[in-house]
Amino acid sequence: MPLIDWPLGEPAVLAAAGPALTGSISRLGLRAGMSLTPMMRTPGRGLVVAAGELRLALDRATAAHVQVHAARRSPGPEAAVQTAGHAGER
Amino acid sequence: MAVQHRTATVPSCHDDSTGASAPSGSPVVALAGAPNVGKSTLFNALTGARRTMGNWPGTTVEVGRGVWRPGAAYDLVDLPGAYSLDPVSPDEALTRALILDPPARERPDAVIVAVDAAHLARSLYLVAQLREHELRVVVALTMIDIAARRGMSIDTAVLQDAIGVPVVAVDPRRRTGLDELATRVSEVLAAPAPLARGHASAGLAPLPTDVAGTDADLGRIDDLDLVDERFAWVDAAAHLAVARSAQTRQSWSDRIDRAVLSRLGGPLIFAAVMWAVFQVTTTVAAPLQDALDSLFTGPVSSGALALLGALRLDHPIVSGLLVDGIIAGVGMLLTFVPLMALMFLLLALLEDSGYLARAAVVADRSMRAIGLPGRAFLPLIVGFGCNVPAISATRVLGGARQRVLTALLVPFTSCTARLTVYVLLATTFFDSYAGTVVFAMYLLSIVLVVGVGWGLRATLWRSMLAEPLLLDLPPYQRPTLRVMGSVTWVRLQGFLRTAGGIVVATVAIVWLLQATPVRGEYDFGSAPVSDSAYAVVAGAVAPAFAPAGFGRWEATGALVTGFVAKEAVISSWAQTYAALDESGAADEIRLGEAIRRDFEDSSGGHGNAAVLAFMAFLLAYTPCVATLAAQRREIGLRWAVFGVAVQLAVAWTLAVLVFQVGRLIG
């Protein structure tokens, strides 16, 4: 699901970014598998996202090109949380 | 190590062309790190802010250079911020070029990497890349206090063991850890440069045989595998060295952002901050500018004349060159000092506090209309006060292309110097509608910024894609006077050094033209303006303005003087029309009558249309020589000259359009 559509305050896992964004995102220390949490909408209808201690502002179009998925991946609701990466420095 | 000469294409840290540097043969220590990790603050703390700035060939990116004397003298080079050595911006390209591109003997003798303790994993990627080369590397761990506030503690000894390079915790704002940093740098300089190292994912520091070797060997490794390997190494190091409390609570930075970036409050706070910047740069600086102007035109000039008289050197050529050329030029430059100092101080305040990044987010959407990021709003707002600091303010923009485009648009913002001319002409020609006419000039200014910006984007910058907003929001922090003061001082020095020559030279040239008689039996410096070389030059360009309704030398002469400074337009007319009162100031009533007569005459009875065209030209052409000097400093001479050409083309076209349409209507 595009990050822009993810509910505020709900942690998500970074799945992929558009080709043009991959370099910019990895420069900031983000990569597939990391946990992201959309924190608020900005005046330009973009997002502020928390990734560990990192706070990132994304415009709407950029946030629409970042794909995320839920941290909990079924088989069932009781399935263990699988976090492929880490959020910041734990 | 011998100082090497720079080649035409590969800049080197050993190049001493940027000014202050340690004695020849001193070790060169480069300071690298991502943006916003306190790198420049560390540089200023180490060098005492004895820093010079220089534009490297082919770029507009600044590299600071200074002498660090912890004992022995080191030539410290402050490299542009870089997240990695895989450049995606001019800043990163220059950092890579200075560290890796030169031959081994011209590379820095050691590299200090400023690493943000609060974002350790992200900052260590650059360290991982540097270790892959035969470089002496020392890590300066910054932002420890911010990491601690977030419940993180970093074990520097563990980190040092994990990454295999010395790690020193420093706080450049409070000047702690600097002695230990000097000791570690001294130790690595005393030892041979380590071999290139790879990234064993578990043991970290050891060198795997498939990665170790020369740069050429490293080049054979598949890039993507290498990136993954670096990230794994970084993660493992961070995991070992960082301990954190289990609970992460919302930081006070997050709470402030709830207001500052909210959809309703964000724009209001942004507008208030921009208004405050505009007010301070115009109203607070104005009396200081006036006082300095009075000082130079009064006591300093009369003192210089008295001194020349006492020394029997009061020949018109000598006194004219000294008083009307050099003192007037230096005086004009110095009147900008309070304005520039305030502007740089406010910039430093916004940057150091962390607000500037938020302002960029708030303004991002509206600025995208002309293809610029949100940060471009600040220089454009400041431009309505004075274009000179606004050009300097374009350095808040990260991308070189955005910086160039914004610096080309700033001159179309109508500065306060132009306001004095608008008011004189509007009250002379439009009486009770004067206020509306002046307001219309400001609206026209906004239209020009948007229109020219759109035009340049649609032509020259067609390939410039809209830059995605993906901005790291640094935590808020209390700005420190020492940091703000040193940053302001460094920037002010840079402005004076670069702008000084061009401003003084241009003022002196205009004086020379006015003092040189070309008609009649006049001595040098005693001819009326109408018989000077200045009138001849103005007369030569006057026919070009006939289609705009003001093809007379009196009008174009004012525009020539206005190229130096718009403040000089009225005084130029006063001299031209000999409309001076008893104190030597312009008599605005007599002046208005003379101007009206000339505009009516040159336009065939369409004086109002002609003066509107003149005002439009005045708005759109080069604001002043100081702005040009600032452009040269920020975006280079070629772009500055291109900007002048664009301004003249737009100004002339607009003036002709206004006059021709006005003539038809009126």
Side-chain angles (χ1 to χ4, degrees):
Chain A
M1 175 187 284
L3 177 61
I4 192 69
D5 297 328
W6 198 260
L8 294 180
E10 291 293 320
V13 173
L14 176 60
L21 285 174
T22 307
S24 309
I25 281 185
S26 65
R27 285 170 70 234
L28 293 170
L30 297 181
R31 47 198 187 279
M34 289 184 70
S35 176
L36 303 175
T37 306
M39 296 180 70
M40 62 183 297
R41 306 263 179 219
T42 63
R45 299 170 69 199
L47 278 179
V48 174
V49 173
E53 300 304 330
L54 189 65
R55 298 292 180 270
L56 286 177
L58 297 85
D59 65 282
R60 186 172 178 77
T62 302
H65 283 97
V66 175
Q67 293 292 322
V68 293
H69 59 70
R72 289 173 185 276
R73 283 189 287 185
S74 21
E78 292 81 24
V81 175
Q82 295 183 351
T83 307
H86 75 124
E89 295 73 37
R90 289 175 300 169
Chain B
M1 180 174 284
V3 175
Q4 304 294 325
H5 293 289
R6 181 178 56 193
T7 65
T9 53
V10 181
S12 155
C13 281
H14 290 259
D15 182 337
D16 61 356
S17 65
T18 51
S21 55
S24 176
S26 300
V28 175
V29 178
L31 184 53
N36 290 323
V37 299
K39 187 169 61 63
S40 292
T41 312
L42 178 59
F43 177 88
N44 287 335
L46 296 176
T47 61
R50 290 185 295 273
R51 169 182 179 172
T52 57
M53 314 294 284
N55 288 334
W56 291 87
T59 78
T60 57
V61 181
E62 283 178 340
V63 173
R65 190 169 203 128
V67 184
W68 178 24
R69 295 182 191 276
Y74 299 137
D75 199 355
L76 193 64
V77 181
D78 184 17
L79 301 176
Y83 290 101
S84 77
L85 295 175
D86 306 320
V88 296
S89 70
D91 295 32
E92 292 188 339
L94 181 57
T95 293
R96 182 188 169 88
L98 287 169
I99 294 179
L100 297 184
D101 289 355
R105 69 179 188 285
E106 291 184 38
R107 289 179 179 177
D109 298 289
V111 181
I112 298 173
V113 188
V115 165
D116 181 353
H119 299 111
L120 192 59
R122 186 179 64 182
S123 294
L124 283 176
Y125 190 83
L126 182 61
V127 178
Q129 288 188 298
L130 288 170
R131 286 173 77 259
E132 294 163 10
H133 301 273
E134 294 180 14
L135 291 165
R136 300 177 184 89
V137 178
V138 176
V139 165
L141 196 61
T142 62
M143 309 285 181
I144 301 268
D145 52 341
I146 291 175
R149 282 206 297 271
R150 293 174 174 181
M152 302 163 63
S153 69
I154 289 99
D155 189 324
T156 53
V158 170
L159 183 61
Q160 180 169 297
D161 288 343
I163 64 176
V165 302
V167 176
V168 182
V170 298
D171 184 346
R173 294 160 68 87
R174 291 171 184 78
R175 315 266 163 133
T176 60
L178 305 187
D179 291 341
E180 192 188 344
L181 181 64
T183 304
R184 296 289 164 265
V185 169
S186 168
E187 286 171 359
V188 298
L189 284 171
L195 293 174
R197 288 165 285 185
H199 316 291
S201 56
L204 299 178
L207 182 69
T209 53
D210 61 334
V211 176
T214 64
D215 291 358
D217 294 330
L218 291 173
R220 288 196 292 271
I221 296 172
D222 180 79
D223 283 349
L224 291 175
D225 287 347
L226 190 53
V227 169
D228 286 344
E229 198 171 326
R230 286 179 193 136
F231 276 130
W233 180 87
V234 163
D235 283 345
H239 183 76
L240 284 172
V242 178
R244 59 182 301 158
S245 55
Q247 189 183 359
T248 303
R249 61 186 174 78
Q250 192 182 43
S251 71
W252 60 277
S253 259
D254 292 330
R255 289 197 287 273
I256 295 174
D257 277 343
R258 290 264 166 229
V260 166
L261 290 177
S262 70
R263 294 174 72 171
L264 183 63
L268 290 175
I269 293 170
F270 173 78
V273 170
M274 291 300 124
W275 179 84
V277 170
F278 182 74
Q279 282 295 103
V280 170
T281 51
T282 52
T283 57
V284 176
L288 298 171
Q289 274 191 295
D290 291 344
L292 275 172
D293 186 48
S294 302
L295 180 69
F296 277 91
T297 54
V300 173
S301 294
S302 53
L305 286 172
L307 185 64
L308 288 176
L311 296 172
R312 296 176 185 276
L313 293 171
D314 52 344
H315 186 277
I317 294 178
V318 178
S319 57
L321 177 63
L322 182 69
V323 174
D324 297 328
I326 295 171
I327 291 179
V330 171
M332 181 188 159
L333 181 72
L334 292 182
T335 59
F336 281 106
V337 167
L339 192 62
M340 299 300 285
L342 276 170
M343 182 65 235
F344 288 140
L345 197 65
L346 290 170
L347 266 183
L349 175 68
L350 294 178
E351 280 174 329
D352 201 32
S353 65
Y355 180 73
L356 204 58
R358 277 74 183 179
V361 174
V362 173
D364 187 71
R365 196 177 180 199
S366 52
M367 292 309 297
R368 273 173 193 276
I370 51 174
L372 288 172
R375 282 177 181 230
F377 204 85
L378 179 74
L380 292 175
I381 283 284
V382 171
F384 283 97
C386 176
N387 286 185
V388 182
I391 295 288
S392 296
T394 58
R395 64 185 54 194
V396 300
L397 296 163
R401 299 178 87 183
Q402 279 92 2
R403 199 182 304 170
V404 171
L405 181 54
T406 309
L408 292 176
L409 295 180
V410 163
F412 293 104
T413 57
S414 189
C415 65
T416 50
R418 280 171 265 199
L419 179 62
T420 55
V421 188
Y422 299 156
V423 170
L424 171 71
L425 293 176
T427 51
T428 300
F429 284 80
F430 301 102
D431 200 15
S432 57
Y433 296 104
T436 307
V437 170
V438 172
F439 179 69
M441 295 310 294
Y442 280 87
L443 284 183
L444 181 61
S445 171
I446 294 168
V447 169
L448 282 176
V449 169
V450 174
V452 175
W454 182 85
L456 289 174
R457 269 304 305 279
T459 52
L460 286 181
W461 275 271
R462 205 165 29 190
S463 63
M464 185 170 82
L465 299 172
E467 191 176 284
L469 177 73
L470 189 61
L471 190 64
D472 179 9
L473 298 175
Y476 291 99
Q477 61 183 0
R478 187 180 304 148
T480 60
L481 271 178
R482 187 159 57 185
V483 171
M484 285 167 38
S486 64
V487 169
T488 300
W489 174 235
V490 166
R491 288 176 174 173
L492 194 58
Q493 277 181 308
F495 165 74
L496 289 174
R497 192 174 296 116
T498 316
I502 193 167
V503 171
V504 174
T506 311
V507 171
I509 288 169
V510 169
W511 162 78
L512 190 66
L513 288 171
Q514 290 181 335
T516 305
V518 291
R519 287 189 284 258
E521 299 294 319
Y522 297 105
D523 291 330
F524 182 87
S526 60
V529 177
S530 57
D531 292 324
S532 69
Y534 171 80
V536 172
V537 172
V541 296
F545 293 95
F550 51 92
R552 289 177 63 104
W553 78 266
E554 292 88 345
T556 53
L559 293 177
V560 171
T561 314
F563 181 81
V564 178
K566 292 293 172 284
E567 292 90 340
V569 167
I570 293 176
S571 60
S572 160
W573 266 332
Q575 278 185 314
T576 300
Y577 296 112
L580 303 173
D581 64 17
E582 289 169 0
S583 69
D587 179 336
E588 294 198 355
I589 296 175
R590 283 169 54 199
L591 187 57
E593 288 169 357
I595 293 171
R596 174 182 279 281
R597 195 170 52 242
D598 264 1
F599 272 91
E600 291 287 350
D601 183 50
S602 64
S603 63
H606 298 283
N608 284 6
V611 85
L612 283 176
F614 183 88
M615 290 167 77
F617 190 91
L618 189 89
L619 163 62
Y621 89 115
T622 310
C624 64
V625 69
T627 299
L628 191 60
Q631 278 186 317
R632 183 192 160 212
R633 170 173 163 70
E634 297 299 333
I635 61 176
L637 183 62
R638 265 182 20 185
W639 281 116
V641 171
F642 172 77
V644 171
V646 170
Q647 291 148 22
L648 287 175
V650 170
W652 187 86
T653 309
L654 189 66
V656 171
L657 194 68
V658 168
F659 177 66
Q660 296 299 337
V661 172
R663 194 173 63 160
L664 288 175
I665 295 172

